[in-house]
Amino acid sequence: MNFLIDAQLPPALARLIISLGHGAVHVEEVGILLATDQAIWNYAVANTQTIITKDEDFKNILLLASPPITPVVWVRIGNCSNAALVRWFQPLFSQVIANLEQGERLIELY
């Protein structure tokens, strides 16, 4: 599976996902760090990527979107260090993959 990591999350999250055997890029890596949410959504759809974000707007875009759509993993952890976020995320990732494989389109992590 391929993931697009949104701006509020660290590039280290993409590196973690890659180390777990999946594709991942951070919005900064592909030149859309300052893009609008809709532009990021369009990029993810065009590149068959699941968006991982802390931004509730992507949940709203997903719920209102017409096909084609892309799944959204909505990270709802509070403020913490990047290292703490990556440590928190790692044990949850296998369940994220399982949910996506079952066809889930919105996955909330908290």
Side-chain angles (χ1 to χ4, degrees):
M1 291 190 178
N2 291 308
F3 296 89
L4 180 62
I5 311 304
D6 196 18
Q8 311 88 352
L9 297 169
L13 190 57
R15 292 190 295 274
L16 169 67
I17 291 169
I18 291 167
S19 77
L20 297 172
H22 296 273
V25 294
H26 191 271
V27 291
E28 185 173 29
E29 292 176 72
V30 293
I32 57 172
L33 179 65
L34 300 177
T36 65
D37 290 343
Q38 190 63 54
I40 292 168
W41 172 269
N42 293 342
Y43 182 91
V45 168
N47 290 281
T48 317
Q49 296 168 313
T50 296
I51 298 170
I52 302 179
T53 185
K54 287 184 88 175
D55 186 346
E56 185 176 5
D57 291 343
F58 285 103
K59 175 201 74 159
N60 297 332
I61 292 170
L62 172 64
L63 295 176
L64 297 173
S66 299
I69 63 168
T70 193
V72 172
V73 178
W74 184 20
V75 175
R76 300 188 64 193
I77 187 174
N79 290 337
C80 61
S81 71
N82 289 342
L85 185 137
V86 170
R87 282 192 308 272
W88 170 83
F89 184 86
Q90 185 170 0
L92 301 173
F93 189 65
S94 62
Q95 188 59 50
V96 168
I97 294 298
N99 288 348
L100 290 169
E101 288 174 344
Q102 292 172 5
E104 295 290 328
R105 293 292 177 232
L106 177 61
I107 300 165
E108 294 183 53
L109 299 179
Y110 40 118

